[in-house]
Amino acid sequence: MNIQRDPSPPPAESVLASARQNPATIKIDEQFLQEPTLAFLESHQNHLRPALASGIFVLSLTKLQLNSIGDIGQFKHIQICDLSSNFIEVIDNLLIHCRHLIKLDLHSNRINRLPDGKLWKHMSKLKILYLHDNLLSSYDDVKSLANTPVLEILTLYDSPLSIKKNYRHHVVNSVWSLKALDTYIIADDEIIEKTHFPEPYAAYSNIFKFNLYIPTGKNSTLNVERKTIEQVFKQINNIQSHYCPVLILQKNFRMWLVQLRLKKFLLLSQKPAPKFLHARPTFTPLSGSSGKFSAFPKPPRTSAIINVFHQIEPLKTPDSYQDK
């Protein structure tokens, strides 16, 4: 007996798939969405109980068809929060209660506006924010994000806002703490007006292309997440330190100031200067083929033409010309 299976997906999956394709026009039946109450959270993961809230630092609730923040705000000590691939529209309650967040993943939701800048101002530890694949469309949301003190990684691609003219220039010059936006690390000529650096220092160079998305593991721990985040920032800082001319100049200028102050201190204290303040050895072709480095550059060789030139007596001019 052959049993033919219905090729069409279940009703819930069908509605969700349609909503993903056209989220602005498709209405979702509320019966397929979940309210993240304490009972629902505990049924999903046994340790998500208010009594254990003070010891929960990583929260991953992805692809659960959540329609709001609900009681997630009860877990005030979370530092890593992943609420991606849901149907959340408003996140104000999350920012009001959870102010220790370091990484917040909200991509692939239905967020059409962001909270006021006053709430972002209190997010003093938030460094990574994923908002791509949402319904954000106004530059007012960027102005709100500009109040976040230490935000360094932000994603807004695949949203109505990202297709606006001069979108990247607007975001980069509004959120001053940013180091990377979407899929590229921020270059110097994106910040400085009327400048264009050659390759590989120019914006959108392959050097600056970087995958900023860090997925949160379902059973990941805070230590693992912190190490992953530190590794990403280490790579970003390394690229910027080698390919951002302004940072290179600042670094060299700071080194020169430190050496200047140290020399002044040593002169006043009459202490011998350390080795790194001595004149650096330089290699010259005149040092021979032995491969040795001379302590100082050798003086130029004397030339017969130069010697003859110095022996020429100056021409005598009339007294009247000299007086003039």
Side-chain angles (χ1 to χ4, degrees):
M1 180 178 179
N2 295 329
I3 300 176
Q4 295 183 353
R5 300 181 62 182
D6 187 3
S8 60
E13 296 181 8
S14 177
V15 173
L16 295 176
S18 301
R20 287 290 179 218
Q21 294 176 2
N22 196 354
T25 58
I26 300 296
K27 291 185 178 180
I28 301 173
D29 195 340
E30 295 293 331
Q31 65 177 329
F32 300 120
L33 302 183
Q34 300 288 343
E35 180 74 21
T37 60
L38 290 175
F40 172 80
L41 295 175
E42 187 175 352
S43 64
H44 176 65
Q45 293 184 13
N46 189 35
H47 69 282
L48 296 179
R49 286 175 283 178
L52 304 175
S54 60
I56 297 175
F57 302 106
V58 179
L59 185 63
S60 179
L61 299 172
T62 181
K63 298 180 181 179
L64 295 178
Q65 289 82 50
L66 303 181
N67 61 355
S68 67
I69 298 299
D71 292 331
I72 296 175
Q74 298 280 346
F75 305 93
K76 299 180 180 181
H77 299 277
I78 55 175
Q79 299 182 25
I80 310 295
C81 183
D82 185 358
L83 300 175
S84 61
S85 301
N86 286 296
F87 293 90
I88 300 171
E89 297 181 3
V90 181
I91 60 171
D92 298 55
N93 192 34
L94 183 66
L95 300 189
I96 291 173
H97 295 96
C98 305
R99 295 184 175 178
H100 298 283
L101 287 170
I102 298 174
K103 185 182 82 170
L104 178 57
D105 189 353
L106 294 169
H107 84 270
S108 302
N109 276 281
R110 295 179 61 85
I111 302 170
N112 54 16
R113 70 165 186 85
L114 292 179
D116 188 73
K118 295 179 180 178
L119 293 180
W120 292 107
K121 189 175 182 180
H122 295 290
M123 306 300 292
S124 59
K125 298 180 180 179
L126 184 63
K127 291 189 174 184
I128 301 176
L129 179 60
Y130 299 130
L131 289 171
H132 56 274
D133 194 15
N134 273 286
L135 304 180
L136 298 171
S137 60
S138 174
Y139 279 129
D140 292 335
D141 297 321
V142 178
K143 293 179 181 178
S144 300
L145 288 176
N147 292 275
T148 313
V150 294
L151 183 62
E152 297 183 9
I153 292 179
L154 174 66
T155 59
L156 288 167
Y157 59 86
D158 291 341
S159 66
L161 180 62
S162 66
I163 61 176
K164 287 193 173 184
K165 187 178 181 180
N166 297 327
Y167 143 78
R168 185 174 176 89
H169 174 79
H170 203 100
V171 176
V172 166
N173 290 277
S174 296
V175 189
W176 289 0
S177 59
L178 276 186
K179 291 186 176 181
L181 174 64
D182 294 339
T183 56
Y184 283 90
I185 298 172
I186 297 172
D188 281 347
D189 53 2
E190 295 185 83
I191 304 172
I192 308 171
E193 285 192 47
K194 298 180 181 179
T195 54
H196 179 71
F197 295 111
E199 294 285 347
Y201 308 101
Y204 300 105
S205 299
N206 290 331
I207 292 294
F208 292 104
K209 193 170 185 179
F210 194 83
N211 181 21
L212 300 173
Y213 184 64
I214 312 171
T216 305
K218 186 175 181 181
N219 299 317
S220 183
T221 62
L222 181 60
N223 290 333
V224 172
E225 290 293 326
R226 279 182 172 273
K227 288 180 180 179
T228 306
I229 292 173
E230 288 175 2
Q231 187 65 26
V232 169
F233 279 115
K234 184 178 180 180
Q235 294 178 19
I236 292 175
N237 293 335
N238 183 55
I239 292 173
Q240 286 190 325
S241 64
H242 287 83
Y243 297 98
C244 290
V246 173
L247 293 180
I248 296 172
L249 289 174
Q250 289 177 348
K251 180 177 66 174
N252 292 332
F253 186 71
R254 283 195 298 267
M255 291 173 60
W256 178 76
L257 286 178
V258 169
Q259 291 185 6
L260 196 65
R261 291 175 182 175
L262 186 55
K263 285 182 179 179
K264 185 177 180 181
F265 171 76
L266 293 174
L267 288 174
L268 293 175
S269 60
Q270 296 182 350
K271 293 182 179 180
K275 292 183 179 180
F276 69 87
L277 287 179
H278 293 166
R280 294 185 178 181
T282 56
F283 175 77
T284 61
L286 300 177
S287 59
S289 59
S290 59
K292 296 180 180 180
F293 290 86
S294 57
F296 296 97
K298 292 186 177 181
R301 284 187 281 185
T302 58
S303 172
I305 299 175
I306 296 176
N307 294 340
V308 171
F309 175 78
H310 285 293
Q311 293 174 3
I312 297 176
E313 295 182 0
L315 296 174
K316 295 182 179 181
T317 55
D319 295 338
S320 59
Y321 181 80
Q322 289 180 358
D323 294 339
K324 289 182 181 180

